[in-house]
Amino acid sequence: MDKEFEVAREFEADATPQQVWEAVTTGTAGWLWPLEYEPGVGGAGPFGGTVTAWDPPRRLTTRTEDVPGIDTQSVNQLDYEIAPRDAGRRAWVRYVHSGIFTDDWDNQYDGADRHTDFYLHTLRQYVAHFPGRTATYVAVDGPADSAHSGATAVLERGLGLPRDAAVGDEVRVTPSGLAPVTAVLDYRNAHFVGLRADDALYRFFCRQAWGGPVQAVVHHMAPDVDATAVERAWHDWLHGLFH
């Protein structure tokens, strides 16, 4: 049965409105995944969508109908409202994700709601610590059998993440076969783990609650990153961890 949904958040960011606007419109590889927007109302948006509001650096809205490749959603709309705070040194943001789910509404909504918090947290990390930096985006899915109830614990043990580590702590993770990473633990709950290093944001998605495998995402800010090599390394690690 078709049913509308809306996920709304308001937050402040340690960045100027212009920096947030640039992150949302051209710097998405630094916190989400690479997306392209054709500037101006009527321009092309991601996933076959259309830009319905374009007012830099204040308002961006895109709308997609008959979402391609997603048979559980028929309408998807993203809306960002951005305003200055602290004489323009900081930004206030209102984000609304709305549309129509066509199947399994409760599960789809729960996934969208929880992912929103992690994505917007990562946006705040990006604009606060890497504003304007070009990022190389790498995403790797674990095997299908990583979609089980104990996946988060397996992932954290594989990383060598201390069980008592709290958000804000500096940690050293040692995934087998990969170089150790010293980072700040910036996000941690039953579904997501976020690490912020000097030159990268590491994001881990444990999506078993929504029937998906574990995913590792790296937003590399360092220049000359060999994305193919990074992808291969994390693929081998994830698939070795869950076997």
Side-chain angles (χ1 to χ4, degrees):
M1 171 180 277
D2 292 1
K3 187 176 178 180
E4 295 182 354
F5 74 91
E6 180 178 286
V7 178
R9 299 287 190 271
E10 294 185 16
F11 60 90
E12 291 193 7
D14 288 324
T16 67
Q18 184 64 35
Q19 287 170 328
V20 174
W21 174 265
E22 290 172 359
V24 167
T25 57
T26 62
T28 57
W31 63 278
L32 189 59
W33 56 78
L35 299 175
E36 293 186 4
Y37 295 89
E38 183 181 358
V41 173
F47 308 111
T50 302
V51 176
T52 59
W54 182 273
D55 182 17
R58 290 173 287 273
R59 191 68 176 267
L60 169 68
T61 309
T62 62
R63 182 178 177 87
T64 306
E65 300 191 16
D66 299 320
V67 184
I70 303 178
D71 58 7
T72 58
Q73 190 173 359
S74 62
V75 176
N76 191 69
Q77 181 167 295
L78 299 176
D79 181 77
Y80 297 85
E81 182 182 353
I82 305 168
R85 293 289 186 271
D86 296 338
R89 292 183 294 272
R90 291 169 50 84
W92 168 87
V93 182
R94 175 171 168 79
Y95 167 89
V96 181
H97 179 196
S98 60
I100 297 174
F101 288 136
T102 60
D103 188 30
D104 195 14
W105 193 92
D106 289 339
N107 192 52
Q108 293 289 325
Y109 180 84
D110 184 63
D113 186 56
R114 293 177 185 271
H115 278 74
T116 292
D117 288 331
F118 193 35
Y119 286 137
L120 295 180
H121 170 80
T122 304
L123 169 61
R124 293 194 294 276
Q125 291 287 296
Y126 172 67
V127 297
H129 298 280
F130 307 103
R133 295 274 294 274
T134 298
T136 298
Y137 172 85
V138 175
V140 179
D141 283 347
D145 60 7
S146 65
H148 62 77
S149 59
T152 305
V154 173
L155 173 83
E156 292 185 346
R157 284 197 301 271
L159 288 171
L161 185 66
R163 279 196 282 181
D164 61 352
V167 169
D169 289 350
E170 184 175 285
V171 297
R172 180 177 172 86
V173 296
T174 55
S176 178
L178 292 165
V181 175
T182 299
V184 173
L185 178 63
D186 67 86
Y187 202 93
R188 187 180 195 180
N189 63 22
H191 305 288
F192 311 106
V193 174
L195 300 169
R196 187 187 74 246
D198 288 341
D199 60 358
L201 291 169
Y202 296 86
R203 313 282 100 172
F204 300 95
F205 298 78
C206 297
R207 303 176 296 182
Q208 62 270 23
W210 309 289
V214 170
Q215 184 183 56
V217 172
V218 186
H219 305 274
H220 265 295
M221 313 300 168
D224 303 322
V225 172
D226 185 340
T228 300
V230 173
E231 181 177 357
R232 185 185 307 114
W234 283 101
H235 174 276
D236 291 348
W237 180 76
L238 269 182
H239 284 253
L241 189 63
F242 294 96
H243 60 73

